[in-house]
Amino acid sequence: MRANQFSFAFGIFALVVGAILDIYGLFDQFMSLNSAQEVLVGSFILAIGLAFLSIPNRLERYIVQGIIGVGVFYYFYIQNNNVWIALIVAVILVALLEYGLKHR
């Protein structure tokens, strides 16, 4: 593994905290703005954890990116009630995340 022990431990910690925030935010007040904001924060923490882990192109990395994409989609769908805008923003953010993870 290319990462040192601290970055690996921090990455795992961030993934766990991000997943807990996503689940809590989703079930706290479903389909409300507060719920969407908590899910967005959880998705950003997941992205930080994924960046610290340095996972090569494997299934786990794509699953976490999918969860991040769904969280961003949920936030932008609640924010403006337009599926297409939410989908475009989520795809762009996940593509930027993938580009950054590949070219660092």
Side-chain angles (χ1 to χ4, degrees), residues 50-101:
L50 190 62
F52 271 92
L53 278 180
S54 299
I55 298 176
N57 294 337
R58 292 191 302 194
L59 185 61
E60 296 89 4
R61 180 170 151 182
Y62 296 128
I63 289 173
V64 174
Q65 285 180 350
I67 293 170
I68 293 168
V70 169
V72 170
F73 174 80
Y74 177 70
Y75 173 76
F76 282 101
Y77 178 71
I78 297 299
Q79 190 73 15
N80 60 15
N81 288 331
N82 192 337
V83 175
W84 294 108
I85 292 174
L87 186 65
I88 290 169
V89 170
V91 167
I92 289 172
L93 285 176
V94 171
L96 285 172
L97 177 66
E98 175 65 22
Y99 180 79
L101 289 174

Side-chain angles (χ1 to χ4, degrees), residues 1-64:
M1 188 164 297
R2 295 185 327 207
N4 62 23
Q5 290 180 351
F6 174 76
S7 66
F8 182 75
F10 183 76
I12 294 294
F13 175 73
L15 286 181
V16 169
V17 169
I20 290 171
L21 275 175
D22 272 349
I23 292 170
Y24 175 75
L26 189 62
F27 292 118
D28 183 30
Q29 299 171 353
F30 187 67
M31 297 296 284
S32 70
L33 187 58
N34 290 336
S35 170
Q37 289 172 347
E38 290 173 3
V39 169
L40 183 68
V41 169
S43 295
F44 284 156
I45 293 173
L46 279 172
I48 291 168
L50 190 62
F52 271 92
L53 278 180
S54 299
I55 298 176
N57 294 337
R58 292 191 302 194
L59 185 61
E60 296 89 4
R61 180 170 151 182
Y62 296 128
I63 289 173
V64 174

